[in-house]
């Protein structure tokens, strides 16, 4: 059951924009006290420079000390099992040990080998969108299936299971759900992944999970394999799907910007960076816990305090970029924190960038008359999701 609660400051939006209150807090205090959806007090860090400082300093801002959502509903043994392999929940050197087993699979060079297959998947999903007829839901027929197919093939997850893992993923990132429901979703996800890992251990294939079993089976426990697979599956489709949906909405609301990448497709790489910055779909980066008293933006944050970094506020900081509230696809926005920063910088960033770089131009080429089918007031934004997005986006052409 969804709770009736007020959206926390760092998750408040006005359509595609963060609320003005967030900008006022950033330009004023810089760090403010807030309460998380789970009732825990936290310090919200808002300025670009300060966010990067937090993310670059795992010694003072620890991921390992931060409790996972719904942890209170779990016993100690279950907490450890669910935490195993979750890179975002560890500090160096444990984080380094886990990450180096995956880094080679997510290099730009390795991702380029996937480009022909991703192009094929994009074409297939565009065919499905066209067959659905006008108006059609872009989320159901394009934005969600493209990254889901890609990550399923990469990991070795049966695409036929997509309805189940998409539903569990949506529950795991829904901050409005009680901790018990989030914990239940994590249990279900772990049980599903345990079955996949067992099959990979019995007969490792050529996919990423098979590679981990063959090359690192002696270095990773079964629980760690399950955790790594769970994290990659969740991150691999949830974020890119919402970027494709919200990015399309942003382009349709800014026709001059849309025309720029339709008429000059070579501009797509800086355009993707600007969309990542401007939309900042990850509402806040995974929380940290201070290991000592810390001075930040003129404030003292005590030891053992929860710290949350606001991605939308940091990426729209005037101290970081000129005219931050303007969508300008020509500028590229280097230095944004949409993928985080430091040791926890998103491992899958090269894959996400490639999917976006291929999908947006293909969509605009196939449907030159693409337009919204519904007025703005009928759009259903996922206000309480840790990954901001849309329930649906009906389009016509």
């Amino acid at each position: 059951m969804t709770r009736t609660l007020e959206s926390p400051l760092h998750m408040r939006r006005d359509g595609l924009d963060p609320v003005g209150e967030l900008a006022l807090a950033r330009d004023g205090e810089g760090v403010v006290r807030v309460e998380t959806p789970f009732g825990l007090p936290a310090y919200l860090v808002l300025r670009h420079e300060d966010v990067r400082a937090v993310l670059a300093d795992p010694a003072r801002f620890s991921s390992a000390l931060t409790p996972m959502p719904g942890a209170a509903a779990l016993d100690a043994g279950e907490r450890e099992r669910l935490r195993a392999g979750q890179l975002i929940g560890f500090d160096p050197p444990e984080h380094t040990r886990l990450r180096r087993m995956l880094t080679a699979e997510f290099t730009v060079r390795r991702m380029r080998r996937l480009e022909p297959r991703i192009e094929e998947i994009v074409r297939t999903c565009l065919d499905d969108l066209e067959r659905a007829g006008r108006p059609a839901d872009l989320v159901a027929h394009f934005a969600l299936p493209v990254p889901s197919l890609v990550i399923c093939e990469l990991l070795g997850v049966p695409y036929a299971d997509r309805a189940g893992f998409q539903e569990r993923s949506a529950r795991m990132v829904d901050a409005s759900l009680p901790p018990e429901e989030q914990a239940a979703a994590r249990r279900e996800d772990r049980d599903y992944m345990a079955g996949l890992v067992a099959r990979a251990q019995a007969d490792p294939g050529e996919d990423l999970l098979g590679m981990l079993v063959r090359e690192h089976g002696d270095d990773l426990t079964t629980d760690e394999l399950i955790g790594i697979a769970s994290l990659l599956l969740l991150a691999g489709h949830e974020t890119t799907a919402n970027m494709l949906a919200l990015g399309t909405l942003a382009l349709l609301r800014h026709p001059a910007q849309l025309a720029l990448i339709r008429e000059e497709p070579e501009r797509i790489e800086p355009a993707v960076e600007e969309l990542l910055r401007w939309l900042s779909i990850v509402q806040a980066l995974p929380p940290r816990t201070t290991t000592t008293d810390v001075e930040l933006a003129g404030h003292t944050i005590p030891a053992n305090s929860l710290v949350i970094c606001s991605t939308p506020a940091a990426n729209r900081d005037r101290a970081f970029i000129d005219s931050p509230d303007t969508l300008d696809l020509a500028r590229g926005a280097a230095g944004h924190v949409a993928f985080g920063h430091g040791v926890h910088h998103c491992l899958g960033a090269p894959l996400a960038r490639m999917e976006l770089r291929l999908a947006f131009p293909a969509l605009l080429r196939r449907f030159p008359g693409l337009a919204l089918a519904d007025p703005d007031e009928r759009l259903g934004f996922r206000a309480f999701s840790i990954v901001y997005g849309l329930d649906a986006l009906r389009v016509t052409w």
Side-chain angles (χ1 to χ4, degrees):
M1 180 183 296
T2 301
R3 294 173 292 170
T4 302
L5 45 76
E6 183 182 17
S7 178
L9 176 60
H10 63 278
M11 296 178 69
R12 294 178 197 164
R13 299 264 187 156
D14 181 10
L16 296 179
D17 299 309
V19 294
E21 186 182 357
L22 199 65
L24 288 173
R26 178 196 60 223
D27 299 340
E29 293 286 313
V31 174
V32 295
R33 292 291 303 273
V34 295
E35 186 175 287
T36 70
F38 306 103
L40 298 174
Y43 288 84
L44 181 62
V45 180
L46 298 154
R47 294 174 185 165
H48 183 266
E49 180 182 8
D50 296 329
V51 165
R52 284 172 65 92
V54 170
L55 301 178
D57 190 355
R60 294 193 302 163
F61 299 94
S62 169
S63 298
L65 297 178
T66 303
M68 70 174 68
L74 308 171
D75 63 42
E78 193 169 21
R79 281 198 296 272
E80 286 305 305
R81 285 193 296 275
L82 290 177
R83 184 169 171 265
Q86 298 281 330
L87 281 74
I88 58 175
F90 290 95
D91 302 323
E94 183 64 9
H95 170 267
T96 309
R97 178 185 77 87
L98 293 168
R99 186 174 176 117
R100 70 167 174 250
M101 300 180 201
L102 295 165
T103 300
E105 298 300 314
F106 287 93
T107 61
V108 173
R109 179 181 297 179
R110 187 67 60 92
M111 289 302 104
R112 284 180 182 148
R113 297 181 189 174
L114 296 176
E115 186 165 345
R117 178 57 183 143
I118 295 174
E119 288 177 330
E120 184 181 352
I121 287 171
V122 167
R123 285 194 299 271
T124 299
C125 292
L126 287 171
D127 291 342
D128 183 55
L129 180 65
E130 189 167 18
R131 279 194 299 270
R134 297 173 289 181
D137 180 8
L138 187 93
V139 172
H141 296 286
F142 184 70
L144 189 52
V146 166
S148 295
L149 271 163
V150 171
I151 199 64
C152 281
E153 291 195 8
L154 187 64
L155 274 176
V157 174
Y159 185 61
D161 296 347
R162 64 192 180 278
F165 71 69
Q166 287 167 358
E167 186 273 337
R168 287 191 299 273
S169 296
R171 286 159 58 202
M172 286 190 285
V173 298
D174 186 349
S176 72
L177 293 179
E180 296 78 12
E181 290 193 34
Q182 285 206 331
R186 289 179 181 277
R187 288 191 192 99
E188 293 165 22
D189 182 68
R190 188 189 183 284
D191 289 345
Y192 170 73
M193 285 299 175
L196 295 183
V197 167
R199 288 202 291 273
Q201 288 172 324
D203 183 19
E206 296 304 312
D207 49 71
L208 182 55
L209 198 50
M211 179 279 294
L212 286 171
V213 170
R214 282 195 310 275
E215 299 184 15
H216 303 290
D218 294 333
D219 306 313
L220 292 166
T221 68
T222 296
D223 282 338
E224 286 175 331
L225 283 167
I226 293 168
I228 289 170
S230 298
L231 178 62
L232 293 178
L233 182 60
L234 171 64
H237 80 276
E238 187 73 27
T239 51
T240 306
N242 286 297
M243 267 301 302
L244 286 171
L246 290 181
T248 301
L249 176 59
L251 292 173
L252 292 174
R253 286 182 171 176
H254 296 81
Q257 298 294 302
L258 183 153
L260 185 70
I261 58 174
R262 174 181 283 150
E263 295 164 12
E264 301 177 60
E266 67 275 10
R267 291 180 178 266
I268 188 58
E269 289 191 15
V272 164
E273 297 307 313
E274 174 69 350
L275 284 167
L276 286 163
R277 178 200 71 84
W278 194 75
L279 290 168
S280 295
I281 61 162
V282 178
Q283 309 266 42
L285 297 164
R288 270 62 169 176
T289 299
T290 52
T291 59
T292 185
D293 292 356
V294 178
E295 291 291 325
L296 200 64
H299 300 268
T300 299
I301 303 177
N304 300 313
S305 296
L306 197 62
V307 174
I308 298 172
C309 292
S310 170
T311 318
N315 280 338
R316 295 209 187 187
D317 188 347
R318 283 191 294 271
F320 158 55
I321 198 165
D322 293 334
S323 303
D325 294 322
T326 300
L327 180 65
D328 179 1
L329 299 186
R331 64 177 160 191
H336 66 73
V337 292
F339 287 122
H341 177 65
V343 297
H344 286 287
H345 183 270
C346 178
L347 182 69
L351 177 60
R353 285 184 166 112
M354 174 169 285
E355 291 178 85
L356 298 172
R357 177 174 63 80
L358 297 175
F360 283 127
L363 173 67
L364 299 179
R365 283 194 305 270
R366 175 70 73 90
F367 303 109
L370 192 70
L372 296 175
D374 295 319
D376 285 356
E377 58 268 20
R378 290 187 59 184
L379 295 175
F381 291 99
R382 297 168 60 186
F384 278 95
S385 178
I386 295 167
V387 182
Y388 193 57
L390 287 160
D391 294 322
L393 182 67
R394 296 205 318 153
V395 295
T396 187
W397 52 88

